[in-house]
Amino acid sequence: MAGEDGSSRSTARGERVVSALDKRLPVSQAGREFLRKAFPDHWSFLLGEIALYSLLVLVATGVFLAFFFHPSMAKQSYTGSYEPLQGVLMSEAFASVMHISFDVRGGLLIRQIHHWGALVFVAAICVHLLRIFFTGAFRRPREANWTIGVTLFLLAVLEGFCGYSLPDDLLSGTGLRTTQGIVLSIPVVGTYLSFFVFGGQFPGHEIIPRLYVAHILLLPGLLLALVTVHLTFIVYHKHTQWALPGRTNRNVIGKPFYPQYTTKSLGLFFAVAGVLTLLAALLQINPIWAFGPYRADQVSIGSQPDWYVGFLEGALRLMPAAETDVAGHTVVWDVFLPGVVLPVTLFLVLYSYPYFERWITGPAPEQHLCDRPRNQPTRTALGVAAVSAYAVLLMAGGQDVIAFVFGIRLEWVTYTLRTALLVLPFLAYHATKRACLGLQAADRGRLLEGRAAAEVRQTADGGYQQARTLLPPAEVYRILVRDEPRPRAHGTEVWRWFRKHRIRNALSRWYFGKRVELPATDWQRQRVELVRAAPGAAEEADDT
């Protein structure tokens, strides 16, 4: 009895503590609302989760590797179990990675999981950003979250580069040498920056410890903090969704976070971890023992960095040699333009794009329905052109391997890729825009004529034609519910003696000027307007 009384008193005390906390911090109410939050069910929304779970795998494997890695440039003779390198002079960092790979039980598997996880992490963020771009999920009110996502992509690239450089092998050392050359190409301050980053002459003794601190402390901390803010914004702004019957610009239809979505998400985590483990177990990656320790007087054959910085390598290889002497300073254009200007321009465009589109669109309500890429042909064409340019630069990063494998002269490969870099994005842009307009025209034809049926009917004049049936309501809804911003003309009225905003209006005409009008009745157009009405703009729509 005494034990039961003590247990009941403890329970009552705990309830009072929880009640007191809940009065001051409404945890239970917030928890109930969060657990009931709906998440749309579509495969494209899982790309961000793949990135998140790859990050968790990276953290777990990184903690294991940190116990055995020694970030030191001090030289020593190798005495490990890999016989071909025994007695070779190498840094302590390289020797510790060799120890992890050959002497720590499971070390090579964990190290390869970590490396594959880094590649999948950056790739998932990149594809996730592309999904957001092509579906217009960066529009109001998600401009800030897009900025956070681009920052996460930038930090992920830097984090991957720091980890890639830590083993101090010949391949990663060649990448650091290239990085130092890029830093030196910055006019006026390049030399000072190089001395600051490397702690003296290249390679120095400070770069590996500094990269290690950035890799395990600074960049992961920023990544985890921004991921938390990113997820908070997703919960606050609610999730975007595809236009289907019942889904409007004012609601979210999907599975509740608990238990349905949690169960699926947990399964995805184990799937991601399992795939990364299989990749690490079956496919070798970054065999540093084959490259050997870094020496400043050597370069590994066929040196290419990981894919996410391969476009920089390709840009450096394609840029013709050019330099200029200005006031006693030499500007090495063939390094400065592809190594500094190109990546800075890339991220400036990524950061500013949502604001550019809002600028040429004009005042617009909140957008919570995803665009079908075909319905925004200019945006889709620009994205495809950018991806094609990136693909050419990535291929150019291995131009020497391409020339060797296919027996082609290196100069011919270089000239071909230079031409492709100028021509392919232009062709991709126009082909994609035409394809989008063609798909819009196909949608119009399906609305007018219906869907082809699996039968042939005889016409009144004795001919034959394929039978057609009306489209199902869900498909009609998906086609008709689309964002249709019109080209801007504000500030160019005839009565104005000075026409303002000419550039913005011209860009708006180029961006939104071409589209295929869809056949719809007045009643259908009214319903589309109600579906696309912003939250709070048409409360009566929910009652109709």
Side-chain angles (χ1 to χ4, degrees), residues 165-215:
S165 304
L166 287 179
D168 195 35
D169 60 290
L170 190 57
L171 183 60
S172 65
T174 302
L176 278 177
R177 184 63 158 176
T178 303
T179 303
Q180 191 234 7
I182 293 174
V183 174
L184 286 175
S185 72
I186 301 176
V188 182
V189 299
T191 304
Y192 302 99
L193 287 176
S194 177
F195 268 70
F196 174 77
V197 171
F198 291 91
Q201 292 286 350
F202 178 86
H205 295 278
E206 302 295 333
I207 186 62
I208 295 299
R210 291 178 178 180
L211 290 175
Y212 183 69
V213 172
H215 184 68

Tab-separated table of all heavy atoms in Angstrom, residues 165-215:
chain	number	residue	atom	x	y	z
A	165	SER	N	39.096	16.920	-49.045
A	165	SER	CA	40.499	17.337	-48.990
A	165	SER	C	41.243	16.814	-47.770
A	165	SER	O	42.471	16.890	-47.726
A	165	SER	CB	40.579	18.876	-49.001
A	165	SER	OG	39.926	19.415	-50.130
A	166	LEU	N	40.539	16.297	-46.767
A	166	LEU	CA	41.182	15.916	-45.514
A	166	LEU	C	42.198	14.776	-45.630
A	166	LEU	O	43.211	14.804	-44.918
A	166	LEU	CB	40.122	15.545	-44.466
A	166	LEU	CG	39.321	16.710	-43.879
A	166	LEU	CD1	38.296	16.194	-42.875
A	166	LEU	CD2	40.251	17.719	-43.214
A	167	PRO	N	41.985	13.739	-46.480
A	167	PRO	CA	42.954	12.625	-46.493
A	167	PRO	C	44.357	13.014	-46.929
A	167	PRO	O	45.295	12.234	-46.706
A	167	PRO	CB	42.317	11.629	-47.482
A	167	PRO	CG	40.871	11.939	-47.451
A	167	PRO	CD	40.792	13.421	-47.275
A	168	ASP	N	44.545	14.160	-47.565
A	168	ASP	CA	45.866	14.617	-47.992
A	168	ASP	C	46.511	13.628	-48.957
A	168	ASP	O	47.729	13.418	-48.942
A	168	ASP	CB	46.781	14.851	-46.774
A	168	ASP	CG	48.021	15.659	-47.129
A	168	ASP	OD1	47.919	16.558	-47.985
A	168	ASP	OD2	49.103	15.377	-46.571
A	169	ASP	N	45.697	13.013	-49.821
A	169	ASP	CA	46.238	12.132	-50.849
A	169	ASP	C	46.543	12.948	-52.093
A	169	ASP	O	46.271	14.156	-52.148
A	169	ASP	CB	45.229	11.019	-51.164
A	169	ASP	CG	43.911	11.575	-51.669
A	169	ASP	OD1	43.181	12.191	-50.862
A	169	ASP	OD2	43.628	11.419	-52.861
A	170	LEU	N	47.101	12.288	-53.098
A	170	LEU	CA	47.542	13.008	-54.290
A	170	LEU	C	46.373	13.629	-55.035
A	170	LEU	O	46.510	14.722	-55.612
A	170	LEU	CB	48.317	12.059	-55.206
A	170	LEU	CG	49.060	12.703	-56.378
A	170	LEU	CD1	50.039	13.754	-55.900
A	170	LEU	CD2	49.779	11.640	-57.208
A	171	LEU	N	45.192	12.974	-55.026
A	171	LEU	CA	44.043	13.509	-55.742
A	171	LEU	C	43.479	14.742	-55.031
A	171	LEU	O	43.271	15.789	-55.653
A	171	LEU	CB	42.955	12.437	-55.863
A	171	LEU	CG	41.710	12.825	-56.665
A	171	LEU	CD1	42.065	13.188	-58.096
A	171	LEU	CD2	40.688	11.699	-56.635
A	172	SER	N	43.233	14.632	-53.727
A	172	SER	CA	42.697	15.781	-52.996
A	172	SER	C	43.714	16.913	-52.906
A	172	SER	O	43.349	18.092	-52.912
A	172	SER	CB	42.259	15.357	-51.598
A	172	SER	OG	43.361	14.932	-50.823
A	173	GLY	N	45.006	16.573	-52.823
A	173	GLY	CA	46.037	17.606	-52.808
A	173	GLY	C	46.078	18.389	-54.110
A	173	GLY	O	46.304	19.608	-54.107
A	174	THR	N	45.828	17.687	-55.236
A	174	THR	CA	45.745	18.382	-56.519
A	174	THR	C	44.564	19.353	-56.526
A	174	THR	O	44.654	20.469	-57.059
A	174	THR	CB	45.598	17.363	-57.663
A	174	THR	OG1	46.719	16.463	-57.643
A	174	THR	CG2	45.537	18.065	-59.009
A	175	GLY	N	43.435	18.948	-55.909
A	175	GLY	CA	42.295	19.844	-55.800
A	175	GLY	C	42.606	21.064	-54.952
A	175	GLY	O	42.190	22.186	-55.278
A	176	LEU	N	43.351	20.879	-53.852
A	176	LEU	CA	43.748	22.014	-53.024
A	176	LEU	C	44.687	22.942	-53.779
A	176	LEU	O	44.634	24.163	-53.623
A	176	LEU	CB	44.427	21.521	-51.740
A	176	LEU	CG	43.502	21.092	-50.601
A	176	LEU	CD1	44.322	20.564	-49.432
A	176	LEU	CD2	42.623	22.251	-50.147
A	177	ARG	N	45.558	22.359	-54.594
A	177	ARG	CA	46.460	23.173	-55.404
A	177	ARG	C	45.664	24.029	-56.394
A	177	ARG	O	45.969	25.214	-56.597
A	177	ARG	CB	47.442	22.268	-56.154
A	177	ARG	CG	48.502	23.005	-56.949
A	177	ARG	CD	49.389	23.822	-56.043
A	177	ARG	NE	50.670	24.121	-56.655
A	177	ARG	CZ	51.596	24.878	-56.110
A	177	ARG	NH1	51.380	25.420	-54.922
A	177	ARG	NH2	52.744	25.096	-56.701
A	178	THR	N	44.632	23.424	-56.995
A	178	THR	CA	43.768	24.172	-57.903
A	178	THR	C	43.043	25.290	-57.156
A	178	THR	O	42.916	26.416	-57.660
A	178	THR	CB	42.753	23.225	-58.560
A	178	THR	OG1	43.444	22.179	-59.245
A	178	THR	CG2	41.865	23.977	-59.538
A	179	THR	N	42.588	24.990	-55.958
A	179	THR	CA	41.907	26.000	-55.147
A	179	THR	C	42.838	27.161	-54.834
A	179	THR	O	42.429	28.333	-54.880
A	179	THR	CB	41.396	25.365	-53.847
A	179	THR	OG1	40.533	24.269	-54.155
A	179	THR	CG2	40.651	26.383	-52.997
A	180	GLN	N	44.079	26.851	-54.501
A	180	GLN	CA	45.025	27.924	-54.208
A	180	GLN	C	45.258	28.800	-55.432
A	180	GLN	O	45.359	30.028	-55.334
A	180	GLN	CB	46.357	27.333	-53.736
A	180	GLN	CG	47.307	28.369	-53.162
A	180	GLN	CD	48.680	28.338	-53.834
A	180	GLN	OE1	48.881	27.630	-54.820
A	180	GLN	NE2	49.604	29.107	-53.293
A	181	GLY	N	45.302	28.173	-56.613
A	181	GLY	CA	45.456	28.957	-57.841
A	181	GLY	C	44.268	29.870	-58.085
A	181	GLY	O	44.423	31.011	-58.539
A	182	ILE	N	43.051	29.381	-57.775
A	182	ILE	CA	41.860	30.215	-57.927
A	182	ILE	C	41.910	31.393	-56.966
A	182	ILE	O	41.587	32.537	-57.330
A	182	ILE	CB	40.595	29.366	-57.705
A	182	ILE	CG1	40.446	28.340	-58.827
A	182	ILE	CG2	39.357	30.243	-57.613
A	182	ILE	CD1	39.308	27.355	-58.625
A	183	VAL	N	42.314	31.146	-55.722
A	183	VAL	CA	42.406	32.231	-54.739
A	183	VAL	C	43.445	33.259	-55.182
A	183	VAL	O	43.234	34.478	-55.080
A	183	VAL	CB	42.745	31.661	-53.348
A	183	VAL	CG1	42.996	32.795	-52.350
A	183	VAL	CG2	41.618	30.769	-52.850
A	184	LEU	N	44.577	32.793	-55.698
A	184	LEU	CA	45.627	33.712	-56.154
A	184	LEU	C	45.173	34.564	-57.332
A	184	LEU	O	45.704	35.656	-57.540
A	184	LEU	CB	46.875	32.918	-56.546
A	184	LEU	CG	47.718	32.324	-55.406
A	184	LEU	CD1	48.829	31.465	-55.981
A	184	LEU	CD2	48.299	33.427	-54.534
A	185	SER	N	44.201	34.074	-58.113
A	185	SER	CA	43.767	34.825	-59.299
A	185	SER	C	42.920	36.042	-58.943
A	185	SER	O	42.678	36.885	-59.814
A	185	SER	CB	42.966	33.911	-60.226
A	185	SER	OG	41.693	33.612	-59.678
A	186	ILE	N	42.449	36.153	-57.712
A	186	ILE	CA	41.644	37.315	-57.324
A	186	ILE	C	42.533	38.547	-57.341
A	186	ILE	O	43.573	38.589	-56.677
A	186	ILE	CB	41.040	37.114	-55.927
A	186	ILE	CG1	40.159	35.853	-55.912
A	186	ILE	CG2	40.231	38.332	-55.502
A	186	ILE	CD1	39.602	35.519	-54.554
A	187	PRO	N	42.188	39.561	-58.111
A	187	PRO	CA	43.060	40.739	-58.230
A	187	PRO	C	43.313	41.406	-56.878
A	187	PRO	O	42.454	41.459	-56.008
A	187	PRO	CB	42.276	41.664	-59.173
A	187	PRO	CG	41.353	40.759	-59.923
A	187	PRO	CD	40.994	39.671	-58.981
A	188	VAL	N	44.517	41.890	-56.714
A	188	VAL	CA	44.984	42.698	-55.585
A	188	VAL	C	45.082	41.887	-54.295
A	188	VAL	O	46.139	41.821	-53.658
A	188	VAL	CB	44.097	43.951	-55.367
A	188	VAL	CG1	44.650	44.799	-54.220
A	188	VAL	CG2	43.994	44.770	-56.642
A	189	VAL	N	43.992	41.253	-53.865
A	189	VAL	CA	43.968	40.613	-52.542
A	189	VAL	C	44.227	39.118	-52.599
A	189	VAL	O	44.255	38.461	-51.552
A	189	VAL	CB	42.616	40.874	-51.847
A	189	VAL	CG1	42.390	42.349	-51.633
A	189	VAL	CG2	41.468	40.256	-52.637
A	190	GLY	N	44.397	38.544	-53.802
A	190	GLY	CA	44.537	37.100	-53.914
A	190	GLY	C	45.703	36.539	-53.131
A	190	GLY	O	45.580	35.516	-52.446
A	191	THR	N	46.850	37.184	-53.200
A	191	THR	CA	48.034	36.693	-52.482
A	191	THR	C	47.807	36.706	-50.983
A	191	THR	O	48.154	35.742	-50.281
A	191	THR	CB	49.251	37.558	-52.829
A	191	THR	OG1	49.430	37.576	-54.250
A	191	THR	CG2	50.500	36.999	-52.171
A	192	TYR	N	47.220	37.779	-50.470
A	192	TYR	CA	46.971	37.871	-49.030
A	192	TYR	C	45.975	36.799	-48.579
A	192	TYR	O	46.144	36.187	-47.514
A	192	TYR	CB	46.444	39.263	-48.677
A	192	TYR	CG	47.364	40.378	-49.080
A	192	TYR	CD1	47.146	41.103	-50.255
A	192	TYR	CD2	48.481	40.711	-48.313
A	192	TYR	CE1	47.994	42.123	-50.646
A	192	TYR	CE2	49.335	41.734	-48.698
A	192	TYR	CZ	49.087	42.433	-49.859
A	192	TYR	OH	49.931	43.447	-50.241
A	193	LEU	N	44.930	36.579	-49.390
A	193	LEU	CA	43.954	35.557	-49.041
A	193	LEU	C	44.582	34.167	-49.010
A	193	LEU	O	44.278	33.349	-48.133
A	193	LEU	CB	42.789	35.580	-50.032
A	193	LEU	CG	41.815	36.750	-49.921
A	193	LEU	CD1	40.780	36.682	-51.043
A	193	LEU	CD2	41.114	36.738	-48.568
A	194	SER	N	45.450	33.890	-49.972
A	194	SER	CA	46.118	32.594	-50.013
A	194	SER	C	46.975	32.375	-48.766
A	194	SER	O	46.935	31.299	-48.157
A	194	SER	CB	46.971	32.492	-51.278
A	194	SER	OG	47.681	31.274	-51.299
A	195	PHE	N	47.729	33.383	-48.365
A	195	PHE	CA	48.556	33.260	-47.159
A	195	PHE	C	47.679	33.087	-45.919
A	195	PHE	O	48.019	32.338	-44.997
A	195	PHE	CB	49.460	34.487	-47.001
A	195	PHE	CG	50.799	34.321	-47.637
A	195	PHE	CD1	50.928	34.296	-49.013
A	195	PHE	CD2	51.948	34.181	-46.876
A	195	PHE	CE1	52.169	34.141	-49.616
A	195	PHE	CE2	53.181	34.015	-47.465
A	195	PHE	CZ	53.307	33.998	-48.842
A	196	PHE	N	46.538	33.762	-45.908
A	196	PHE	CA	45.640	33.662	-44.753
A	196	PHE	C	45.013	32.276	-44.674
A	196	PHE	O	44.943	31.670	-43.593
A	196	PHE	CB	44.563	34.731	-44.844
A	196	PHE	CG	43.516	34.621	-43.778
A	196	PHE	CD1	43.774	35.038	-42.485
A	196	PHE	CD2	42.263	34.093	-44.073
A	196	PHE	CE1	42.812	34.935	-41.500
A	196	PHE	CE2	41.293	33.982	-43.088
A	196	PHE	CZ	41.566	34.402	-41.807
A	197	VAL	N	44.542	31.738	-45.809
A	197	VAL	CA	43.849	30.452	-45.809
A	197	VAL	C	44.821	29.309	-45.524
A	197	VAL	O	44.537	28.424	-44.699
A	197	VAL	CB	43.123	30.228	-47.150
A	197	VAL	CG1	42.589	28.809	-47.245
A	197	VAL	CG2	42.000	31.230	-47.310
A	198	PHE	N	45.973	29.314	-46.182
A	198	PHE	CA	46.916	28.195	-46.052
A	198	PHE	C	47.939	28.409	-44.946
A	198	PHE	O	48.750	27.520	-44.685
A	198	PHE	CB	47.632	27.959	-47.385
A	198	PHE	CG	46.729	27.408	-48.452
A	198	PHE	CD1	46.043	28.252	-49.309
A	198	PHE	CD2	46.560	26.040	-48.587
A	198	PHE	CE1	45.209	27.746	-50.285
A	198	PHE	CE2	45.727	25.527	-49.563
A	198	PHE	CZ	45.043	26.383	-50.421
A	199	GLY	N	47.930	29.558	-44.306
A	199	GLY	CA	48.876	29.801	-43.218
A	199	GLY	C	50.307	29.936	-43.688
A	199	GLY	O	51.238	29.565	-42.970
A	200	GLY	N	50.510	30.432	-44.891
A	200	GLY	CA	51.851	30.595	-45.437
A	200	GLY	C	51.919	30.067	-46.850
A	200	GLY	O	50.916	30.023	-47.574
A	201	GLN	N	53.126	29.640	-47.258
A	201	GLN	CA	53.290	29.088	-48.597
A	201	GLN	C	52.554	27.753	-48.714
A	201	GLN	O	52.461	26.991	-47.760
A	201	GLN	CB	54.784	28.878	-48.900
A	201	GLN	CG	55.578	30.156	-49.031
A	201	GLN	CD	55.306	30.893	-50.329
A	201	GLN	OE1	54.661	30.363	-51.218
A	201	GLN	NE2	55.798	32.121	-50.437
A	202	PHE	N	52.016	27.484	-49.923
A	202	PHE	CA	51.334	26.226	-50.169
A	202	PHE	C	52.335	25.064	-50.117
A	202	PHE	O	53.451	25.199	-50.627
A	202	PHE	CB	50.658	26.264	-51.541
A	202	PHE	CG	49.957	24.988	-51.906
A	202	PHE	CD1	48.658	24.769	-51.492
A	202	PHE	CD2	50.610	24.007	-52.639
A	202	PHE	CE1	48.008	23.585	-51.826
A	202	PHE	CE2	49.964	22.829	-52.976
A	202	PHE	CZ	48.665	22.617	-52.569
A	203	PRO	N	51.989	23.903	-49.541
A	203	PRO	CA	50.728	23.621	-48.857
A	203	PRO	C	50.724	24.018	-47.383
A	203	PRO	O	49.665	24.065	-46.776
A	203	PRO	CB	50.610	22.110	-48.999
A	203	PRO	CG	52.020	21.625	-48.990
A	203	PRO	CD	52.819	22.696	-49.683
A	204	GLY	N	51.874	24.284	-46.801
A	204	GLY	CA	51.923	24.700	-45.403
A	204	GLY	C	51.568	23.566	-44.457
A	204	GLY	O	51.449	22.397	-44.847
A	205	HIS	N	51.385	23.915	-43.181
A	205	HIS	CA	51.054	22.926	-42.160
A	205	HIS	C	49.724	23.212	-41.483
A	205	HIS	O	49.352	22.506	-40.537
A	205	HIS	CB	52.153	22.888	-41.094
A	205	HIS	CG	53.480	22.422	-41.617
A	205	HIS	ND1	53.789	21.088	-41.781
A	205	HIS	CD2	54.578	23.110	-42.052
A	205	HIS	CE1	55.018	20.970	-42.271
A	205	HIS	NE2	55.512	22.190	-42.443
A	206	GLU	N	48.984	24.237	-41.959
A	206	GLU	CA	47.769	24.641	-41.272
A	206	GLU	C	46.488	24.254	-42.003
A	206	GLU	O	45.420	24.209	-41.384
A	206	GLU	CB	47.773	26.177	-41.073
A	206	GLU	CG	48.955	26.707	-40.285
A	206	GLU	CD	48.944	26.225	-38.849
A	206	GLU	OE1	47.846	25.944	-38.317
A	206	GLU	OE2	50.040	26.106	-38.267
A	207	ILE	N	46.578	23.956	-43.290
A	207	ILE	CA	45.357	23.813	-44.074
A	207	ILE	C	44.521	22.615	-43.637
A	207	ILE	O	43.287	22.708	-43.511
A	207	ILE	CB	45.685	23.747	-45.590
A	207	ILE	CG1	44.393	23.748	-46.411
A	207	ILE	CG2	46.563	22.562	-45.906
A	207	ILE	CD1	43.565	24.985	-46.250
A	208	ILE	N	45.131	21.458	-43.382
A	208	ILE	CA	44.364	20.280	-42.975
A	208	ILE	C	43.688	20.494	-41.622
A	208	ILE	O	42.478	20.215	-41.484
A	208	ILE	CB	45.245	19.022	-42.971
A	208	ILE	CG1	45.721	18.698	-44.395
A	208	ILE	CG2	44.476	17.832	-42.396
A	208	ILE	CD1	44.617	18.407	-45.373
A	209	PRO	N	44.387	20.980	-40.578
A	209	PRO	CA	43.672	21.263	-39.318
A	209	PRO	C	42.542	22.269	-39.483
A	209	PRO	O	41.481	22.126	-38.860
A	209	PRO	CB	44.784	21.804	-38.398
A	209	PRO	CG	46.038	21.219	-38.938
A	209	PRO	CD	45.841	21.168	-40.422
A	210	ARG	N	42.712	23.276	-40.326
A	210	ARG	CA	41.656	24.267	-40.522
A	210	ARG	C	40.465	23.662	-41.260
A	210	ARG	O	39.308	23.925	-40.910
A	210	ARG	CB	42.200	25.468	-41.291
A	210	ARG	CG	43.199	26.294	-40.480
A	210	ARG	CD	43.770	27.443	-41.279
A	210	ARG	NE	44.691	28.247	-40.462
A	210	ARG	CZ	45.344	29.310	-40.888
A	210	ARG	NH1	45.183	29.716	-42.144
A	210	ARG	NH2	46.148	29.979	-40.080
A	211	LEU	N	40.739	22.861	-42.276
A	211	LEU	CA	39.651	22.195	-42.977
A	211	LEU	C	38.912	21.234	-42.048
A	211	LEU	O	37.691	21.076	-42.143
A	211	LEU	CB	40.188	21.439	-44.196
A	211	LEU	CG	40.692	22.291	-45.365
A	211	LEU	CD1	41.291	21.397	-46.436
A	211	LEU	CD2	39.568	23.136	-45.954
A	212	TYR	N	39.650	20.600	-41.149
A	212	TYR	CA	39.039	19.653	-40.217
A	212	TYR	C	38.073	20.361	-39.275
A	212	TYR	O	36.956	19.877	-39.032
A	212	TYR	CB	40.138	18.938	-39.431
A	212	TYR	CG	39.637	17.882	-38.473
A	212	TYR	CD1	39.074	16.702	-38.953
A	212	TYR	CD2	39.739	18.057	-37.096
A	212	TYR	CE1	38.618	15.723	-38.085
A	212	TYR	CE2	39.297	17.086	-36.213
A	212	TYR	CZ	38.732	15.930	-36.717
A	212	TYR	OH	38.281	14.963	-35.848
A	213	VAL	N	38.487	21.496	-38.740
A	213	VAL	CA	37.608	22.269	-37.852
A	213	VAL	C	36.354	22.712	-38.611
A	213	VAL	O	35.228	22.625	-38.100
A	213	VAL	CB	38.353	23.477	-37.267
A	213	VAL	CG1	37.399	24.390	-36.519
A	213	VAL	CG2	39.468	23.023	-36.339
A	214	ALA	N	36.530	23.184	-39.845
A	214	ALA	CA	35.375	23.601	-40.636
A	214	ALA	C	34.472	22.413	-40.951
A	214	ALA	O	33.237	22.536	-40.946
A	214	ALA	CB	35.840	24.262	-41.936
A	215	HIS	N	35.074	21.234	-41.192
A	215	HIS	CA	34.316	20.064	-41.622
A	215	HIS	C	33.509	19.436	-40.496
A	215	HIS	O	32.398	18.937	-40.726
A	215	HIS	CB	35.275	19.024	-42.215
A	215	HIS	CG	34.585	17.821	-42.774
A	215	HIS	ND1	33.790	17.877	-43.890
A	215	HIS	CD2	34.568	16.521	-42.358
A	215	HIS	CE1	33.310	16.663	-44.153
A	215	HIS	NE2	33.756	15.825	-43.236
